[in-house]
Amino acid sequence: MPADPAVILRARGLRKAFGSVEVLKGVDLDVHRREVVCVIGPSGSGKSTLLRCLNRLETPSAGTVSLDGIEITAAGIDLNRVRKDIGMVFQAFNLYPHMTALGNVTLALRKGLGQSREAAEVKGRAALAAVGLADKQASYPAQLSGGQQQRVGIARALALEPKIMLFDEPTSALDPELVGGVLAVMRQMRDTGMTMVVVTHEMGFAREAADRVIFMNDGEIVEQGSPDQLFDNPRMDRTKQFLERVVQR
Protein backbone atom coordinates (compact mmCIF):
# COMPACT_ATOMS: atom_id res chain seq x y z
CA MET A 1 0.00 0.00 0.00
CA PRO A 2 1.50 3.41 -0.94
CA ALA A 3 2.37 5.87 1.82
CA ASP A 4 -0.30 8.42 2.72
CA PRO A 5 1.24 11.83 1.85
CA ALA A 6 -0.76 13.47 4.65
CA VAL A 7 0.94 11.25 7.26
CA ILE A 8 4.46 12.29 8.22
CA LEU A 9 5.07 9.77 11.03
CA ARG A 10 3.55 6.29 11.25
CA ALA A 11 4.03 3.56 13.85
CA ARG A 12 2.59 0.08 13.43
CA GLY A 13 2.55 -2.69 16.03
CA LEU A 14 5.15 -0.92 18.15
CA ARG A 15 6.34 -3.01 21.09
CA LYS A 16 9.14 -2.40 23.56
CA ALA A 17 10.20 -4.69 26.39
CA PHE A 18 12.89 -4.16 29.00
CA GLY A 19 13.67 -7.67 30.16
CA SER A 20 10.38 -9.31 31.05
CA VAL A 21 8.53 -6.00 31.35
CA GLU A 22 6.60 -5.03 28.22
CA VAL A 23 6.32 -1.24 28.23
CA LEU A 24 4.69 -0.81 24.80
CA LYS A 25 2.11 -3.37 23.73
CA GLY A 26 1.47 -2.95 20.02
CA VAL A 27 0.96 0.79 19.51
CA ASP A 28 -0.38 2.08 16.17
CA LEU A 29 -0.05 5.81 15.57
CA ASP A 30 -0.35 8.17 12.60
CA VAL A 31 0.75 11.80 12.90
CA HIS A 32 -0.34 14.15 10.13
CA ARG A 33 1.62 17.09 8.77
CA ARG A 34 1.14 20.28 10.81
CA GLU A 35 -0.74 18.32 13.46
CA VAL A 36 -0.15 18.81 17.20
CA VAL A 37 -0.71 15.59 19.14
CA CYS A 38 -0.61 15.66 22.94
CA VAL A 39 -0.06 12.36 24.77
CA ILE A 40 -1.36 12.14 28.33
CA GLY A 41 -1.60 9.33 30.85
CA PRO A 42 -0.32 8.14 34.22
CA SER A 43 3.37 7.70 35.00
CA GLY A 44 4.64 4.38 33.72
CA SER A 45 2.09 4.14 30.90
CA GLY A 46 4.76 4.11 28.17
CA LYS A 47 4.53 7.70 26.94
CA SER A 48 8.24 8.54 27.10
CA THR A 49 9.23 5.13 25.75
CA LEU A 50 6.93 5.72 22.79
CA LEU A 51 8.72 8.97 21.94
CA ARG A 52 12.14 7.35 22.31
CA CYS A 53 11.13 4.57 19.94
CA LEU A 54 9.70 7.07 17.44
CA ASN A 55 13.08 8.79 17.09
CA ARG A 56 15.12 5.59 17.53
CA LEU A 57 16.76 6.53 20.83
CA GLU A 58 15.32 3.14 21.77
CA THR A 59 15.13 0.22 19.37
CA PRO A 60 11.62 -1.23 19.33
CA SER A 61 11.30 -4.92 20.23
CA ALA A 62 8.80 -5.29 17.38
CA GLY A 63 6.89 -3.15 14.92
CA THR A 64 7.85 -0.42 12.48
CA VAL A 65 8.21 3.36 12.42
CA SER A 66 8.15 5.31 9.16
CA LEU A 67 9.01 8.97 8.59
CA ASP A 68 7.79 10.53 5.36
CA GLY A 69 7.21 7.05 3.94
CA ILE A 70 10.69 5.74 4.80
CA GLU A 71 10.94 2.99 7.40
CA ILE A 72 13.39 4.23 10.02
CA THR A 73 13.33 0.93 11.92
CA ALA A 74 14.85 -0.85 8.92
CA ALA A 75 18.33 -2.35 9.22
CA GLY A 76 21.15 -0.05 8.14
CA ILE A 77 19.19 3.19 8.44
CA ASP A 78 21.28 6.34 9.04
CA LEU A 79 20.25 7.24 12.58
CA ASN A 80 22.04 10.59 12.49
CA ARG A 81 19.88 11.58 9.53
CA VAL A 82 16.77 10.33 11.31
CA ARG A 83 17.51 12.44 14.37
CA LYS A 84 18.06 15.54 12.27
CA ASP A 85 14.56 15.13 10.86
CA ILE A 86 12.95 14.30 14.25
CA GLY A 87 13.75 16.98 16.81
CA MET A 88 13.64 15.96 20.48
CA VAL A 89 13.22 18.10 23.58
CA PHE A 90 13.71 16.32 26.90
CA GLN A 91 12.59 16.86 30.49
CA ALA A 92 16.20 17.64 31.46
CA PHE A 93 17.78 20.46 29.52
CA ASN A 94 20.98 18.50 28.65
CA LEU A 95 23.00 21.62 27.88
CA TYR A 96 26.79 21.68 27.96
CA PRO A 97 27.66 23.98 30.88
CA HIS A 98 30.96 25.14 29.36
CA MET A 99 29.28 26.33 26.14
CA THR A 100 27.25 29.48 25.55
CA ALA A 101 23.64 29.27 24.44
CA LEU A 102 24.78 29.79 20.85
CA GLY A 103 27.49 27.15 21.24
CA ASN A 104 24.96 24.61 22.48
CA VAL A 105 22.59 25.36 19.61
CA THR A 106 25.25 25.18 16.89
CA LEU A 107 27.16 22.11 18.11
CA ALA A 108 25.10 19.54 16.19
CA LEU A 109 25.08 21.72 13.09
CA ARG A 110 28.88 21.86 13.07
CA LYS A 111 29.83 18.41 14.39
CA GLY A 112 26.89 16.38 13.13
CA LEU A 113 26.14 18.07 9.81
CA GLY A 114 29.59 19.47 9.07
CA GLN A 115 28.46 23.06 8.60
CA SER A 116 30.96 25.88 8.91
CA ARG A 117 30.97 27.89 12.12
CA GLU A 118 29.69 30.93 10.23
CA ALA A 119 26.77 29.06 8.62
CA ALA A 120 25.91 27.29 11.87
CA GLU A 121 25.89 30.55 13.81
CA VAL A 122 23.50 32.18 11.34
CA LYS A 123 21.04 29.32 11.91
CA GLY A 124 21.74 29.27 15.63
CA ARG A 125 21.01 32.97 16.08
CA ALA A 126 17.77 32.62 14.12
CA ALA A 127 16.71 29.66 16.28
CA LEU A 128 17.47 31.54 19.50
CA ALA A 129 15.52 34.53 18.21
CA ALA A 130 12.58 32.23 17.42
CA VAL A 131 12.39 31.18 21.09
CA GLY A 132 12.79 34.73 22.41
CA LEU A 133 16.46 34.48 23.42
CA ALA A 134 18.20 36.66 20.84
CA ASP A 135 19.81 38.62 23.69
CA LYS A 136 21.11 35.49 25.50
CA GLN A 137 23.30 33.92 22.83
CA ALA A 138 26.51 34.65 24.78
CA SER A 139 25.10 33.47 28.13
CA TYR A 140 26.15 30.21 29.73
CA PRO A 141 23.53 27.77 31.10
CA ALA A 142 24.32 28.73 34.70
CA GLN A 143 23.38 32.32 33.84
CA LEU A 144 19.95 31.29 32.52
CA SER A 145 16.75 30.36 34.29
CA GLY A 146 15.38 26.86 33.91
CA GLY A 147 12.79 28.12 31.46
CA GLN A 148 15.44 29.86 29.39
CA GLN A 149 17.60 26.73 29.40
CA GLN A 150 14.67 24.68 28.10
CA ARG A 151 14.08 27.26 25.38
CA VAL A 152 17.74 26.86 24.36
CA GLY A 153 17.01 23.12 24.15
CA ILE A 154 14.09 23.85 21.85
CA ALA A 155 16.25 26.19 19.73
CA ARG A 156 18.90 23.46 19.46
CA ALA A 157 16.32 21.12 17.93
CA LEU A 158 14.78 23.84 15.74
CA ALA A 159 18.15 24.80 14.25
CA LEU A 160 18.33 21.37 12.57
CA GLU A 161 15.13 22.23 10.67
CA PRO A 162 13.35 18.99 11.62
CA LYS A 163 10.23 17.67 9.94
CA ILE A 164 8.62 16.91 13.30
CA MET A 165 9.32 17.80 16.95
CA LEU A 166 8.89 15.45 19.90
CA PHE A 167 8.59 16.88 23.42
CA ASP A 168 8.97 14.66 26.50
CA GLU A 169 7.30 16.55 29.36
CA PRO A 170 9.25 19.71 28.52
CA THR A 171 7.95 21.68 31.52
CA SER A 172 8.11 19.02 34.25
CA ALA A 173 11.50 20.17 35.59
CA LEU A 174 10.50 23.84 35.74
CA ASP A 175 9.26 25.99 38.60
CA PRO A 176 5.58 26.81 37.98
CA GLU A 177 6.23 30.47 37.15
CA LEU A 178 8.62 29.46 34.34
CA VAL A 179 6.26 27.04 32.59
CA GLY A 180 4.34 29.71 30.71
CA GLY A 181 7.34 30.95 28.71
CA VAL A 182 8.11 27.48 27.37
CA LEU A 183 4.48 26.78 26.50
CA ALA A 184 4.26 30.14 24.72
CA VAL A 185 7.19 29.14 22.48
CA MET A 186 5.48 25.84 21.72
CA ARG A 187 2.27 27.67 20.79
CA GLN A 188 4.27 29.87 18.42
CA MET A 189 5.75 26.75 16.81
CA ARG A 190 2.25 25.33 16.38
CA ASP A 191 1.14 28.57 14.73
CA THR A 192 4.00 28.38 12.23
CA GLY A 193 2.92 24.86 11.22
CA MET A 194 5.44 22.69 13.05
CA THR A 195 4.28 19.08 13.45
CA MET A 196 4.55 18.18 17.15
CA VAL A 197 4.02 15.21 19.45
CA VAL A 198 3.99 16.37 23.06
CA VAL A 199 4.00 14.16 26.14
CA THR A 200 2.67 16.47 28.84
CA HIS A 201 1.03 16.78 32.23
CA GLU A 202 -0.15 20.29 31.31
CA MET A 203 -3.80 19.55 30.65
CA GLY A 204 -4.62 23.18 29.91
CA PHE A 205 -2.00 23.24 27.15
CA ALA A 206 -3.28 19.94 25.74
CA ARG A 207 -6.84 21.22 25.66
CA GLU A 208 -5.91 24.54 24.05
CA ALA A 209 -3.05 23.67 21.70
CA ALA A 210 -3.63 20.09 20.52
CA ASP A 211 -5.44 19.00 17.41
CA ARG A 212 -5.67 15.52 18.94
CA VAL A 213 -5.19 14.15 22.45
CA ILE A 214 -4.10 10.55 23.07
CA PHE A 215 -4.61 8.84 26.41
CA MET A 216 -2.17 6.02 27.15
CA ASN A 217 -2.37 3.47 29.94
CA ASP A 218 -0.33 0.34 30.57
CA GLY A 219 1.55 0.49 27.28
CA GLU A 220 -1.49 0.97 25.04
CA ILE A 221 -3.46 3.79 23.46
CA VAL A 222 -6.77 3.55 25.30
CA GLU A 223 -8.56 6.45 23.65
CA GLN A 224 -7.90 9.40 21.35
CA GLY A 225 -9.87 12.27 19.94
CA SER A 226 -10.21 16.03 19.77
CA PRO A 227 -9.50 17.89 23.02
CA ASP A 228 -13.20 18.66 23.48
CA GLN A 229 -14.18 15.04 22.93
CA LEU A 230 -11.53 13.52 25.14
CA PHE A 231 -11.71 15.97 28.02
CA ASP A 232 -15.45 16.64 28.03
CA ASN A 233 -16.90 13.33 26.85
CA PRO A 234 -14.38 10.48 27.29
CA ARG A 235 -15.74 7.10 26.23
CA MET A 236 -13.52 4.79 28.27
CA ASP A 237 -13.81 4.34 32.03
CA ARG A 238 -10.02 4.38 32.47
CA THR A 239 -9.82 7.76 30.72
CA LYS A 240 -12.59 9.13 32.92
CA GLN A 241 -10.82 7.93 36.08
CA PHE A 242 -7.55 9.54 35.06
CA LEU A 243 -9.12 12.87 34.12
CA GLU A 244 -11.12 13.00 37.34
CA ARG A 245 -7.85 12.85 39.24
CA VAL A 246 -5.82 15.35 37.22
CA VAL A 247 -8.21 17.90 35.69
CA GLN A 248 -9.49 20.67 37.91
CA ARG A 249 -13.09 21.22 37.06
Side-chain angles (χ1 to χ4, degrees):
M1 186 174 66
D4 182 346
V7 174
I8 190 166
L9 189 69
R10 167 166 286 170
R12 286 293 180 269
L14 209 58
R15 295 181 178 272
K16 179 62 181 178
F18 297 97
S20 61
V21 179
E22 194 171 32
V23 179
L24 295 179
K25 302 177 179 178
V27 172
D28 292 339
L29 175 65
D30 283 352
V31 179
H32 293 79
R33 297 177 196 279
R34 303 175 68 91
E35 185 180 27
V36 177
V37 178
C38 283
V39 185
I40 64 172
S43 296
S45 59
K47 306 184 301 296
S48 294
T49 300
L50 173 61
L51 288 193
R52 293 175 67 86
C53 286
L54 291 178
N55 81 340
R56 290 297 314 276
L57 282 174
E58 297 283 357
T59 300
S61 304
T64 61
V65 179
S66 298
L67 176 70
D68 242 355
I70 297 171
E71 186 189 333
I72 64 173
T73 41
I77 198 77
D78 182 351
L79 289 181
N80 286 330
R81 178 68 195 182
V82 168
R83 291 175 189 143
K84 177 200 176 297
D85 289 337
I86 305 179
M88 183 83 174
V89 177
F90 301 89
Q91 298 178 41
F93 315 130
N94 296 329
L95 301 181
Y96 289 104
H98 63 288
M99 290 184 174
T100 64
L102 184 60
N104 271 280
V105 171
T106 58
L107 182 64
L109 293 169
R110 293 190 295 111
K111 301 297 186 183
L113 300 184
Q115 295 185 5
S116 69
R117 181 178 295 275
E118 293 76 13
E121 288 187 350
V122 168
K123 285 188 176 179
R125 290 190 190 98
L128 286 168
V131 300
L133 293 177
D135 60 338
K136 297 294 185 181
Q137 60 181 327
S139 298
Y140 290 88
Q143 299 171 310
L144 301 173
S145 71
Q148 290 170 331
Q149 290 184 58
Q150 187 60 293
R151 283 150 64 191
V152 173
I154 294 172
R156 177 176 54 192
L158 277 178
L160 294 170
E161 299 176 338
K163 295 179 178 179
I164 184 172
M165 289 275 287
L166 310 180
F167 294 82
D168 188 6
E169 296 183 16
T171 59
S172 65
L174 300 179
D175 292 332
E177 67 267 24
L178 301 177
V179 168
V182 172
L183 295 182
V185 168
M186 294 170 67
R187 289 186 187 97
Q188 291 167 10
M189 292 169 61
R190 172 203 63 192
D191 292 344
T192 61
M194 175 61 74
T195 308
M196 299 158 62
V197 181
V198 185
V199 169
T200 186
H201 286 125
E202 298 288 337
M203 298 299 149
F205 175 80
R207 178 186 280 274
E208 175 211 343
D211 297 298
R212 178 162 44 117
V213 180
I214 289 172
F215 173 65
M216 286 189 70
N217 188 66
D218 195 26
E220 299 177 307
I221 293 177
V222 174
E223 183 169 357
Q224 57 185 305
S226 70
D228 286 347
Q229 183 269 308
L230 194 126
F231 284 110
D232 295 336
N233 191 30
R235 298 185 303 272
M236 308 301 290
D237 288 341
R238 183 64 187 92
T239 315
K240 294 175 186 175
Q241 293 166 4
F242 174 78
L243 292 174
E244 285 169 358
R245 294 193 183 104
V246 300
V247 176
Q248 308 216 334
R249 301 288 183 184

